[in-house]
Amino acid sequence: MYKMALPGDDSTEVAVERRRAAEAERKARIFNTRSRVMGVDLDTLDHQVAERQLQRDAERQQEKHLEHLRRSQDIALLQQVREEEERLSAMNSDLAQYWATHQRVEDSRDADLKCNQQGASKFTMPEAELGPSSMQVFLGEDVEADQRRREQIEKTERDLQAQKQDAEKRRMKEKRIEELIRNKLVHQDLRAVELEALEEECRKAVRMALSNCNHALAAERVETLRKQRRKEEGQSLAEMGHMVTSDMLTECPEAAERGLGRVLTDRWRGMTPQQLSAIYREREEQRLRRQKQHETERAREAAWDLQRMTLARKGEEEERKERELQRERKIQLDQYNMQLAKEQQAHQEYLDKKLYTNRPSGDYFNQFNTTSR
């Protein structure tokens, strides 16, 4: 029988693909760290940020200490290298002197085998007069070996001297560089001290200028009030003199009193002595009251000036105390930071050397968060 190709059922595959797509979309939504906000502990995160900042400060402080230690070790190493070079140079010079004194070529055992040495014949003849059986210079020998050896020794001595001079120049150059660095550091320290002293002098000058300005303003205000009072007193005296000497006040009072209860202004001839004495007495009382009032104002101004000076002194004292307190707080904070750094280092050593000795591999972490369920 023939087999017929029936259409397959694709609904199962479509459902599987739909579930797979939904699972992938769910994973993308759940494992997205930007949009996932569930389970976030802000206090813990802030605490972790603070701890990380403290750790960075401690590491920065430790790096500074390490840099200082590294610099001191570099200086010690340079000094050791310089001493080693000097020792090698001295050994080389002593060795060359020993060779030149105790290991000369003319003192060797085979000196008699060489031309013009111990026991050798000093009689030489021209090569043209010698026969084949009377040859004194053979192939490979050299009659100028002594001269070449002396030149080689002199060249070696010159090279050693040049090396010693180069080493001395290099040592002097390093010494000058170290002196320049040391002088630069000293100059920077002195400059910092000078800047701090100048800043303190500037603050003192500003405070003194402010105090002088306050005193000058107070004196100017007192002088202005004094001039104003004098002007007012002059105007008052001028007005009173004008009123007393005017025609209206010098009229006779008897003629003006016949007006049946009212004063006839066109016939009045002035005030009586009793009225004048009452006016003078009232004016004197007013002058005494005005003088007393002026004295009270001057005393009040003096008290205000004294209080301002006292407040200024108190403010300077409080500023000085505040600076001392800040300096003590800074010292305490530095000590506390050093203690925290030591504790952090001890805790880190405990974690690295005792607790986390069996560190997990990547396969251990890859088995988590593989599905959204």
Side-chain angles (χ1 to χ4, degrees):
M1 294 180 66
Y2 294 97
K3 295 183 180 180
M4 298 178 63
L6 298 175
D9 190 7
D10 297 334
S11 60
T12 304
E13 296 180 359
V14 171
V16 170
E17 291 295 332
R18 184 171 62 254
R19 286 197 296 272
R20 288 178 180 175
E23 179 68 14
E25 191 273 335
R26 181 179 174 84
K27 285 183 178 180
R29 185 177 68 255
I30 292 177
F31 295 153
N32 188 2
T33 57
R34 294 184 177 271
S35 61
R36 185 179 60 194
V37 297
M38 297 175 61
V40 177
D41 192 354
L42 295 179
D43 296 335
T44 304
L45 293 178
D46 294 338
H47 183 66
Q48 291 178 357
V49 170
E51 288 183 351
R52 180 61 61 84
Q53 186 66 30
L54 291 175
Q55 183 179 0
R56 289 178 180 175
D57 295 339
E59 291 177 355
R60 193 179 297 110
Q61 190 70 20
Q62 186 177 6
E63 288 178 358
K64 290 182 179 179
H65 290 300
L66 291 176
E67 181 67 23
H68 180 70
L69 180 60
R70 191 181 302 110
R71 189 179 295 109
S72 61
Q73 290 179 354
D74 292 340
I75 294 173
L77 183 59
L78 289 175
Q79 184 67 22
Q80 186 178 0
V81 170
R82 191 181 302 110
E83 292 177 356
E84 185 68 21
E85 290 178 355
E86 293 177 356
R87 188 178 63 83
L88 291 177
S89 178
M91 289 177 61
N92 292 329
S93 61
D94 294 341
L95 185 60
Q97 184 68 24
Y98 178 79
W99 288 346
T101 305
H102 300 285
Q103 294 183 359
R104 297 183 300 174
V105 179
E106 55 269 18
D107 295 337
S108 61
R109 294 180 179 180
D110 54 353
D112 55 346
L113 301 177
K114 300 176 183 177
C115 184
N116 296 331
Q117 298 297 330
Q118 298 177 2
S121 176
K122 300 184 183 295
F123 177 75
T124 58
M125 294 179 63
E127 291 187 19
E129 298 179 2
L130 297 175
S133 62
S134 300
M135 295 181 63
Q136 296 182 0
V137 178
F138 297 93
L139 183 64
E141 295 184 352
D142 190 2
V143 294
E144 297 179 354
D146 297 336
Q147 181 67 24
R148 188 170 59 256
R149 189 178 298 107
R150 284 193 297 270
E151 292 178 356
Q152 186 176 3
I153 292 172
E154 292 177 358
K155 183 177 181 300
T156 304
E157 291 179 354
R158 287 196 301 271
D159 293 339
L160 289 175
Q161 190 68 21
Q163 290 177 2
K164 289 174 65 177
Q165 291 178 359
D166 293 339
E168 184 67 21
K169 289 181 181 179
R170 186 165 56 254
R171 187 176 63 83
M172 294 298 294
K173 183 177 180 181
E174 292 176 357
K175 186 176 181 181
R176 285 196 298 270
I177 292 173
E178 291 178 0
E179 290 179 355
L180 290 175
I181 292 173
R182 191 182 303 108
N183 293 331
K184 184 177 180 181
L185 293 176
V186 172
H187 179 70
Q188 290 179 356
D189 294 337
L190 294 176
R191 183 62 178 171
V193 173
E194 291 178 359
L195 290 176
E196 186 176 359
L198 290 175
E199 186 177 359
E200 186 65 24
E201 291 180 359
C202 290
R203 287 197 293 268
K204 290 182 180 179
V206 169
R207 289 196 296 269
M208 292 179 64
L210 182 60
S211 179
N212 295 330
C213 181
N214 292 332
H215 288 300
L217 291 175
E220 183 179 359
R221 183 177 180 183
V222 171
E223 186 66 24
T224 303
L225 292 175
R226 186 183 296 109
K227 290 181 180 180
Q228 186 177 0
R229 286 195 295 270
R230 289 179 181 177
K231 183 178 180 181
E232 290 177 358
E233 289 177 357
Q235 291 178 357
S236 299
L237 291 174
E239 184 178 0
M240 287 188 293
H242 177 71
M243 292 296 293
V244 170
T245 58
S246 62
D247 295 337
M248 182 179 63
L249 297 179
T250 55
E251 297 292 336
C252 182
E254 287 81 3
E257 291 177 355
R258 301 190 184 96
L260 299 178
R262 64 185 183 87
V263 178
L264 301 177
T265 58
D266 57 344
R267 299 180 182 180
W268 192 50
R269 294 294 182 269
M271 294 185 294
T272 60
Q274 293 79 12
Q275 292 176 346
L276 290 175
S277 62
I279 291 174
Y280 293 154
R281 187 168 54 254
E282 183 66 24
R283 186 179 63 183
E284 185 67 20
E285 291 177 357
Q286 291 178 359
R287 186 183 66 80
L288 293 176
R289 286 197 300 270
R290 182 64 62 82
Q291 184 178 2
K292 186 176 180 181
Q293 184 178 2
H294 291 338
E295 291 177 355
T296 304
E297 290 179 356
R298 284 195 294 271
R300 186 183 299 110
E301 291 294 333
W304 276 109
D305 294 337
L306 180 61
Q307 187 176 3
R308 281 193 294 269
M309 292 177 63
T310 304
L311 290 176
R313 285 195 296 270
K314 288 183 179 179
E316 293 178 357
E317 185 67 21
E318 289 179 357
E319 289 179 0
R320 185 182 63 80
K321 291 181 180 180
E322 184 66 23
R323 289 196 298 270
E324 293 293 336
L325 184 58
Q326 289 180 0
R327 189 180 297 108
E328 292 178 358
R329 289 177 179 174
K330 185 177 180 181
I331 292 172
Q332 293 177 0
L333 182 59
D334 293 339
Q335 294 176 356
Y336 181 69
N337 290 335
M338 291 178 65
Q339 182 66 26
L340 287 179
K342 292 180 181 178
E343 293 178 357
Q344 181 69 20
Q345 185 177 3
H347 181 66
Q348 190 65 33
E349 291 179 355
Y350 170 75
L351 293 178
D352 295 337
K353 296 181 180 180
K354 295 183 179 181
L355 186 59
Y356 298 140
T357 56
N358 187 11
R359 297 185 178 276
S361 61
D363 297 334
Y364 175 77
F365 297 99
N366 292 329
Q367 66 180 346
F368 300 102
N369 293 333
T370 57
T371 178
S372 63
R373 300 296 179 180

